Amino acid sequence: MATFLYRLGRLTFRRRRLVLMLWIVVLAAIGIGAMSSTGTTSEGLSLPGTQSQKAIDLLQKEFPQASASGATAQVVFEAPGGQKLTSGAHKTEVQALVAKLEKSPQVSSVSDPFTNGQVSKSGTIAYTQVTYKVAQADVSAAAHGVQTDVVAQGEKTGLTVSMGGNAVQDKASSKLAELLGLAVAAVVLVITFGSLIAAGLPLLTAIMGVGAAVLSITIATQFWDMASTASTLALMLGLAVAIDYALFIVSRYRNEIQDGHEPEEAAGRALGTAGSAVVFAGLTVIVALSGLSVIGIASLTSMGLASAFAVAVAVVIALTLLPAVLGFAGMRIMKGKLLSRRMKALERGEGDGMGVRWAQFVTRNPVKVLAVSVVGLALLALPAMSLRLALPDGSMKPPGSTQRVSYDTLSEGFGPGFNGPLTVVVDARGSDDPKAAAKQATTMLGKLDDIASVRGAAFNEAGDVALIGAIPQSAPSSQATKDLVTDIRDQSAALRQDTGADLMVTGFTAVNVDVSTKLGQALLPYLSIVVGMALILLLLVFRSILVPLKAALGFLLSVVATLGLLVAVFQWGWLKDVFGIDQTGPIVSLLPILLIGVVFGLAMDYEVFLVTRMREEYVHGAEPTKAIVQGFRHSARVVTAAAVIMISVFSGFLLDDAALIKSIGLGLASAVFFDAFVVRMTIVPAVMALMGHRAWALPRWLDRAMPNVDVEGEKLRHALAAEQASTSPEPAFAGVAAGGQAGSESHSAPPVFSGLNASEAGSGSADTDRAAVTSRLPRLHHGRVGGVSGLRQRRARNADTNDTTGSPTGMVSKLRKKLPWKN
């Protein structure tokens, strides 16, 4: 792989104009397609095989007039303080608004609050139920416009009109989070590289990659059902990993330039080494996100696949567009005018950076550091034992939004359970007396605890399927309401035995229960698939058994600590004012498993980037502890910058008003913090210091069976050294024993001679002259004067002549003509 990526890097560097043009054309085509796309997203949940979904399917078949699959809206009316809606003027206004809703496009039915008992006992609050003929995603702009007009018209008369339900359009989310994340990323990149050009390249390629991914997802909504949060999650992850991947490759490219390589060669080597790590890091993220498909929840599947696609685009951008852009930047990427004194000293190799000093501290005190880190994460994980899950509802909408006002008003007027009605379906198609079965089910419901009211059975046209409404006393997300759903379902066996009819429960709360059950059943298979495939990838990368296992265990520590933090903030209310949370409640049901998928992929990113460099040093002969320190020397600064960028991108979503987006942002940001700084940069070096050589142990039979993917570029390094040796043969001098200056691997290329005149060459004996020559030989790296200055010297010499005398071979030939002992 390293060899292929090396060639790809050089090719895209040379053909940079063509590559850039192709990407611009692709982006323009995707943009045009997205602009013409008519697809929409959905917030609905589909749960094949669950009781709630079976009941929904039955209602769609037997109650077509109810438009069971259609979108719904609850329009809530509240009278001004001290007044009632039942008075003449307010009642007339409400009826006028209901009539306007009936004339709205796509409306199937609108209930009259005064004839259907939809007025609170106090007479101050009423609501009407609006059912549409189309699904949520197909509600037209004209229908949404009528909703807006009804709210405005009602408020002119002094009424408070609010709307809830899936037919109501959410307020467009602010782009402040993305802009804040980009701003912080730009600052971190400038600090890391000390160069505006070097800092701008990762941002430029990341924006193009994220743009291509999000626009492609927009096009995909025309062909597949996509969750409304799919593009948001893809944007978060795509932006974060795209910047990170570009950051690693640009950093390696600069290192190769500092080692004296020409820009094109540096681009090839950077892609052959850091690019290989990017490929496998990206694969682990893609595997983790794609694995969400095994759970069987359509919205979660769309979120996982959309995010995986965004990560895949980020990898392709880093491997193709980035080397091309490096070609345009050339040597200007090395201009670090914004470097501090400390950074300039480190660039010159003077002193050790903070990452190196931290690695030395950890490797000197591995047991103490490991104990403190593990205990700290364990304490943070304790609140996770109180984890409660729920689906997002009106209570999680932003304060002041029409959905939130509607939710709170209905709770005030009709009780907290009114926002979570239960739909009980009596399937009496196999019963001898369907009406008796429905009556028995209604009586049974009325005797259960936590039931506020029961609405009489309504039959389909055939008279063999009944629909019963039940209102709980408790809030939809409460444990009491969930227990009520279980109690009703437990009565199904008795009803079947007595009447031959089946009893099913659906509705928001029932779906919530089924989602939690389904997620619990899918958790173990999901972890097995994702962790198993990722461990195989890491086994190929590191050629070690203990390192991948350590990576997986560290990930588990990060996840449980993150879940504990989420429970403490969103359930218990710790620091809720700091994070702008106005109401505590359960964690969104989909968040834990989504967090597992996302964080596992990101955790493996840092594992690959940090430990790959350790393995590279170890393979090159360094002792285990020294390999750890050297790995930190080369990677700690870049990994730190990448983690800060990713944390900043995710933290930006804490500014969103929606509790769901806040929880996702806090969860991902804290998970990256725990994993990058506590697990990867503290626990990992401590454990590896304790394991020593055993960390890299691999059974011989497994070593022979596994393909060598050469992530650290060892094969590439030897191939390039051999090629260089064949194209630049070392000069042979009379009287010098062959192989007398074999040198180390890193100094095996032929020396370059410069600044020797004839008088110096022939001033004495052959031995004296040879000594004079060898004393004037510079110490070189890979046959070149090391560093950027050496590269500039070679370029200047080559610019002064049109022949090959500026090359090592030409200079050697020129020197032989001057030397007295030449053969």
Side-chain angles (χ1 to χ4, degrees), residues 527-660:
L527 282 175
S528 301
I529 293 174
V530 172
V531 176
M533 293 185 68
L535 287 178
I536 292 174
L537 286 174
L538 294 179
L539 186 64
L540 291 173
V541 172
F542 298 126
R543 306 192 73 79
S544 163
I545 293 178
L546 294 179
V547 170
L549 290 176
K550 165 193 60 62
L553 293 175
F555 149 74
L556 292 177
L557 279 174
S558 301
V559 167
V560 294
T562 302
L563 290 177
L565 179 63
L566 288 175
V567 170
V569 174
F570 286 90
Q571 280 186 211
W572 295 358
W574 292 5
L575 302 176
K576 68 176 185 177
D577 294 334
V578 174
F579 295 106
I581 301 166
D582 68 303
Q583 181 175 322
T584 59
I587 305 300
V588 178
S589 297
L590 303 180
L591 182 56
I593 200 160
L594 182 65
L595 190 68
I596 289 173
V598 173
V599 174
F600 185 82
L602 298 180
M604 297 306 105
D605 264 9
Y606 297 117
E607 182 77 12
V608 168
F609 289 132
L610 189 60
V611 182
T612 297
R613 201 62 190 257
M614 295 181 190
R615 173 172 170 76
E616 186 175 341
E617 297 295 330
Y618 182 79
V619 168
H620 293 167
E623 289 297 316
T625 301
K626 186 177 180 181
I628 295 171
V629 175
Q630 288 297 103
F632 269 74
R633 183 185 301 278
H634 295 293
S635 300
R637 183 177 173 188
V638 180
V639 169
T640 300
V644 170
I645 290 172
M646 198 167 285
I647 292 169
S648 302
V649 171
F650 293 148
S651 297
F653 289 86
L654 287 169
L655 301 176
D656 197 288
D657 294 330
L660 173 61

Side-chain angles (χ1 to χ4, degrees), residues 418-429:
F418 189 82
N419 285 296
L422 302 178
T423 301
V424 181
V425 180
V426 180
D427 184 3
R429 290 175 294 181

Side-chain angles (χ1 to χ4, degrees), residues 209 213-214 217 233-235 237-239 241-242 305-315:
V214 173
I217 293 170
L233 184 63
L235 176 62
L237 289 177
L239 185 62
V241 301
L305 293 179
S307 302
F309 175 74
V311 174
V313 172
V315 173

Side-chain angles (χ1 to χ4, degrees), residues 100 246 287 656 679:
K100 188 169 186 175
V287 166
D656 197 288
V679 175

Side-chain angles (χ1 to χ4, degrees), residues 392-410:
D393 56 14
S395 65
M396 296 185 182
K397 295 295 182 180
S401 64
T402 186
Q403 297 96 327
R404 179 64 175 273
V405 173
S406 169
Y407 184 94
D408 294 340
T409 304
L410 287 174

Side-chain angles (χ1 to χ4, degrees), residues 317-405:
I317 283 280
L319 299 181
T320 56
L321 180 61
L322 182 59
V325 177
L326 289 174
F328 287 105
M331 289 296 296
R332 288 174 295 176
I333 200 173
M334 301 303 298
K335 294 181 179 179
K337 295 182 179 181
L338 301 177
L339 291 173
S340 64
R341 286 186 180 180
R342 176 64 178 163
M343 293 170 66
K344 289 179 180 179
L346 293 176
E347 292 282 347
R348 295 192 301 266
E350 300 173 3
D352 293 325
M354 185 179 296
V356 174
R357 296 196 300 272
W358 174 250
Q360 292 171 343
F361 170 77
V362 172
T363 53
R364 285 197 303 266
N365 307 278
V367 176
K368 295 178 181 179
V369 170
L370 181 62
V372 171
S373 302
V374 172
V375 170
L377 290 178
L379 291 175
L380 281 172
L382 289 178
M385 299 176 65
S386 303
L387 178 67
R388 291 192 298 117
L389 302 175
L391 286 178
D393 56 14
S395 65
M396 296 185 182
K397 295 295 182 180
S401 64
T402 186
Q403 297 96 327
R404 179 64 175 273
V405 173

Side-chain angles (χ1 to χ4, degrees), residues 140-162:
S140 66
H144 287 306
V146 172
Q147 295 174 1
T148 304
D149 293 342
V150 167
V151 173
Q153 183 177 332
E155 290 179 348
K156 286 181 181 180
T157 62
L159 299 177
T160 300
V161 182
S162 56

Side-chain angles (χ1 to χ4, degrees), residues 38-43 69-71 105-107 132-144 166-167 169 221-222 225:
T38 58
T40 55
T41 58
S42 171
E43 292 186 1
S69 61
Q106 303 176 318
V107 167
Y132 291 84
K133 300 175 183 178
V134 297
Q136 171 195 3
D138 299 322
V139 177
S140 66
H144 287 306
N166 59 6
Q169 199 170 29
T221 59
Q222 192 165 352
D225 290 333

